[in-house]
Amino acid sequence: PAPLEIIEERTVGPDLGQDSINAGLIALAIGFTLVIIFMFIKYKIFGLIANLALIFNLFLLVGILTLFEATLTLPGIAGIILTVGMAVDANVLIFERIKEEMKTEKSNIYAFDMGYKKAQSAVLDANITTLISAIILFFLGSGPVKGFAVTLGFGIITTLFSAYFLARHLSSYYVMKNKDKNITI
């Protein structure tokens, strides 16, 4: 065992703690807004679909955390911010794969179906490995680390649900409605 030497210890009052939480919420809002703008500019209508799924994902995550009466802490906010990043990553992987499929396929419907199927393994691998890390952090960590792990774990589950249920269904509806038109991503 290595010896433990305390170099610095701080105690913060409720005002300073609330300031940190407010700063975290502002960072979340700014990051979320920039992500929404980027997705809309990059993917047009499909970026809009991804943004709707992302907003749904956040509402679902906050709803689940509310059901479990979780307290919003700085590590919890960090977990939510990471969830936003992972949700966007899933949609980017899917949409880029669909772009590749549309170059070789004549059928928009088939290209979208294959794009989702071929991106699924990469999306699942990334999310499952992060979920495993969140589970390990939950069982081996203490208070704030457990809060981060819980938020991240539920965030990954809601991300997979919103990407492969909501975003896929909305995308499929759009593609089916415009199957004879030239669809660009």
Side-chain angles (χ1 to χ4, degrees):
L4 179 64
E5 183 180 326
I6 298 175
I7 297 173
E8 181 179 348
E9 182 177 326
R10 293 183 188 187
T11 303
V12 296
D15 289 341
L16 187 56
Q18 186 62 46
D19 288 346
S20 296
I21 290 175
N22 291 341
L25 289 173
I26 290 169
L28 175 63
I30 291 170
F32 186 71
T33 303
L34 291 174
V35 163
I36 284 179
I37 291 168
F38 169 78
M39 290 298 286
F40 185 72
I41 290 170
K42 176 84 173 156
Y43 297 108
K44 311 291 185 262
I45 188 72
F46 296 99
L48 180 64
I49 290 169
N51 289 336
L52 290 173
L54 183 60
I55 292 167
F56 176 79
N57 183 14
L58 286 178
F59 277 118
L60 190 60
L61 176 58
V62 170
I64 289 171
L65 293 175
T66 302
L67 281 174
F68 287 100
E69 298 178 0
T71 304
L72 189 61
T73 61
L74 211 49
I77 294 170
I80 293 171
I81 292 171
L82 188 55
T83 296
V84 168
M86 301 245 350
V88 169
D89 179 54
N91 285 307
V92 167
L93 285 171
I94 291 165
F95 292 154
E96 289 300 319
R97 188 64 197 170
I98 290 170
K99 270 186 185 179
E100 291 175 17
E101 291 297 318
M102 290 185 80
K103 290 177 185 175
T104 59
E105 291 298 327
K106 292 182 182 179
S107 168
N108 288 335
I109 296 170
Y110 186 76
F112 272 79
D113 190 47
M114 291 310 295
Y116 265 95
K117 283 182 182 174
K118 290 184 178 180
Q120 187 174 10
S121 66
V123 172
L124 284 176
D125 288 349
N127 283 281
I128 288 172
T129 54
T130 306
L131 183 60
I132 290 169
S133 299
I135 291 169
I136 291 169
L137 285 173
F138 180 77
F139 284 110
L140 298 180
S142 61
V145 174
K146 280 189 177 195
F148 173 77
V150 167
T151 305
L152 181 60
F154 283 127
I156 289 168
I157 293 166
T158 59
T159 293
L160 289 173
F161 177 77
S162 63
Y164 275 97
F165 181 76
L166 184 65
R168 183 171 184 159
H169 282 77
L170 290 174
S171 297
S172 297
Y173 176 76
Y174 179 79
V175 170
M176 292 292 284
K177 193 170 183 172
N178 298 295
K179 62 183 172 186
D180 298 327
K181 296 179 183 174
N182 185 21
I183 297 174
T184 58
I185 292 187

